Amino acid sequence: MIIFGTGSSTIHPKKLEGGSCPYCNTENNMWIQGYRKYIHVFWIPFFPIGKKVYSVCGHCKGAFEEREFQNQQLIQSFNDFKNNQIKTPWYHFTGLTILVVFIALLIVLPYLTK
Ligand SMILES: [Zn+2]
């Protein structure tokens, strides 16, 4: 029986530079947060399948998708963060790494035992 499915890990919230809330207009209190999704097999993260990021206002607690931003500075700050700060952690590739090592061993072993 193979047990597999998807899991997710949360991205630690970070404060964005500048910008204002699209809803309550509070300045410089926007936070970026989100989560990453991955496929797991027997609860070992196998490979990542994507991430979801959005921003939350520190004042009204409203959550906003990138397309809801009207402020250019906020869009800039959000994209900088998304592209530079949110990396896929190495352990999301654990299963894939094990598989590659296993296949490599299967290929190499017959030569080693000759
Ligand atoms: Zn707000």
Side-chain angles (χ1 to χ4, degrees), residues 6-9 36-40 44-51 87-97:
T6 59
S8 62
S9 68
R36 301 181 189 86
K37 296 200 79 167
Y38 55 84
I39 301 276
H40 71 77
I44 299 168
F46 221 76
F47 55 87
I49 52 172
K51 64 190 172 193
K87 301 279 184 229
T88 302
W90 63 270
Y91 66 83
H92 280 191
F93 293 96
T94 306
L96 207 59
T97 308

Side-chain angles (χ1 to χ4, degrees), residues 7-59:
S8 62
S9 68
T10 50
I11 294 163
H12 196 71
K14 283 265 169 62
K15 192 171 181 292
L16 291 171
E17 282 304 314
S20 59
C21 174
Y23 181 73
C24 71
N25 284 320
T26 301
E27 300 234 354
N28 206 21
N29 198 8
M30 295 303 286
W31 294 71
I32 186 169
Q33 63 183 71
Y35 54 88
R36 301 181 189 86
K37 296 200 79 167
Y38 55 84
I39 301 276
H40 71 77
V41 180
F42 288 108
W43 300 281
I44 299 168
F46 221 76
F47 55 87
I49 52 172
K51 64 190 172 193
K52 168 111 180 123
V53 280
Y54 52 93
S55 76
V56 175
C57 171
H59 180 71

Side-chain angles (χ1 to χ4, degrees), residues 72-95:
Q72 200 56 45
Q73 194 188 6
L74 191 61
I75 294 167
Q76 181 74 39
S77 182
F78 187 85
N79 279 317
D80 278 356
F81 189 89
K82 191 169 80 175
N83 298 328
N84 302 320
Q85 307 276 336
I86 301 172
K87 301 279 184 229
T88 302
W90 63 270
Y91 66 83
H92 280 191
F93 293 96
T94 306

